[in-house]
Structures are given as C-alpha cells and as structure tokens.
Amino acid sequence: MLRWILALLLIPFLDAILLGFVATAYIGWVPMVLLVVLTGLVGMLLVRAEGRRTIRKMQRSLAEGKPPTNELLDGGFLIASGAFLLTPGLVTDLIGFLLVVPVTRIPIRTALKRYVIVPYADKKTDGFASGNVWTFGFPGGSAEQDEARAQWSDGGTYDLGEDDYTVDSEESYTVEFGDERTDDADVDDDDPYAR
C-alpha cells in the first residue's frame, strides 16, 4: 500500500519537474500556464460528454437486462481521467486524455479486464467467476482429500438392479429400494404432511 501512495506522490512531482523544464527551455511560463489551463478545460468538457454517453449506455444495458460491466469500468476511467486532467502537468494530461477518449479507453479497458479483473475474480472464487465448474470435491481442496473422499464415496448414485423397478404404464413406475421398513410406524394421524 505504501508503494502505491509513493507512486501517486511521485507522478505529480516528476510531472512538475518536466513542466518546469519545458516552460524554461522551450515555450516560457505564460504559454505553459495557458496550456495547462486549456488542457484542463478541454479535458473537463470531454469528461462531461463521455460521462453522459456512458450513463446512457448504462441505462440501455440495464433496460435490456444485461449487467453494465463495461460501462462501470468506463465510469471509473472517466473519474480517473478527470483527476489526471485537473492535475497540472504534461504526463498527467496525456494519461487523462488516453483514459477519456473512447479510441484509447476501450483497449485499456479490455486489457484491464483480461489481465487484472478476471484473474483477481478467479483467484477469489477459485475459478468459479469465469465459468469453471467443479465436478468432484470442494474448491480449494487438496488432491489427497479428493482422493480420500473418492475412495469411500460413491458419488451419490444408487445402483438399481434389473428387478428393482417396474413400469406399469407409460405414465407411472415404481422403484424398490430394498428398504424393509414399514411406513406405519412413522405415520402420525394428526400431521397432514406426514407420509
């Protein structure tokens, strides 16, 4: 966590140094301040327009009954791009514009889903979030535990022999489980739900 805080503090510091270098060496301080203000204003207009577009797409997805996962990620990117565009500097403005323009935001979103979100969700759910299903054992169980369970478990099946069931007609059939118990001992006359 401390690394991320230091990285977030280091980016504006390096951006300010680069901004000072470009201002003194190439264009001057007044044009640099005007450039920073202009990029902030244009960026905020772009963020506002893309935010409205994203909200409309989210409403459309919800109306169709689909989860708005891409739209939620786009909303997060737009919040981050707004913060980057308000921070004075050339590098943060570049990152902000990359996150606000759909041409560059969509590949970033796809890469984030593929390399960060899906592996994290699979790690937390043992693969169940991406559609992996277990056919035996418990998720996260060891192979030795699964083998031990397989030795004494029959997998929940009941083997019926040839004479254990009869079919009277196409609509009814009877299954004999070999249970010699009589049902008269278990019946309570006062209970309407009793067998």
Side-chain angles (χ1 to χ4, degrees):
M1 183 68 170
L2 186 61
R3 296 187 291 189
W4 291 105
I5 294 173
L6 289 176
L8 288 175
L9 292 175
L10 185 65
I11 290 172
F13 177 71
L14 292 176
D15 209 8
I17 290 174
L18 180 65
L19 191 66
F21 174 74
V22 170
T24 56
Y26 294 106
I27 62 173
W29 286 101
V30 175
M32 181 56 74
V33 170
L34 291 175
L35 180 67
V36 167
V37 170
L38 181 68
T39 58
L41 289 175
V42 170
M44 287 301 105
L45 290 174
L46 280 172
V47 167
R48 184 176 174 189
E50 286 298 316
R52 288 180 178 170
R53 181 174 170 260
T54 301
I55 288 174
R56 282 193 305 270
K57 285 174 55 178
M58 187 180 303
Q59 289 172 342
R60 197 174 315 124
S61 293
L62 288 172
E64 293 172 358
K66 294 187 277 187
T69 54
N70 289 336
E71 291 81 10
L72 289 173
L73 284 173
D74 284 345
F77 283 148
L78 291 174
I79 291 171
S81 69
F84 279 123
L85 288 168
L86 282 178
T87 304
L90 300 175
V91 176
T92 54
D93 285 344
L94 177 69
I95 295 171
F97 280 118
L98 287 175
L99 292 177
V100 79
V101 178
V103 173
T104 55
R105 186 178 65 230
I106 292 171
I108 293 171
R109 179 184 68 204
T110 304
L112 181 75
K113 282 171 61 175
R114 173 179 281 169
Y115 297 114
V116 177
I117 294 173
V118 171
Y120 181 76
D122 281 345
K123 179 181 162 191
K124 288 295 186 181
T125 62
D126 287 331
F128 196 68
S130 65
N132 293 333
V133 204
W134 298 279
T135 57
F136 186 80
F138 293 100
S142 67
E144 294 85 19
Q145 291 173 341
D146 288 343
E147 288 178 21
R149 284 188 207 104
Q151 290 176 357
W152 55 266
S153 172
D154 61 354
T157 59
Y158 191 83
D159 187 22
L160 295 174
E162 290 180 20
D163 297 329
D164 288 336
Y165 65 94
T166 59
V167 177
D168 297 332
S169 67
E170 291 181 10
E171 296 177 7
S172 68
Y173 61 92
T174 306
V175 177
E176 301 287 331
F177 286 104
D179 191 10
E180 299 300 324
R181 173 181 71 130
T182 61
D183 288 336
D184 296 335
D186 294 334
V187 175
D188 185 12
D189 293 334
D190 297 333
D191 188 9
Y193 298 109
R195 303 190 286 159

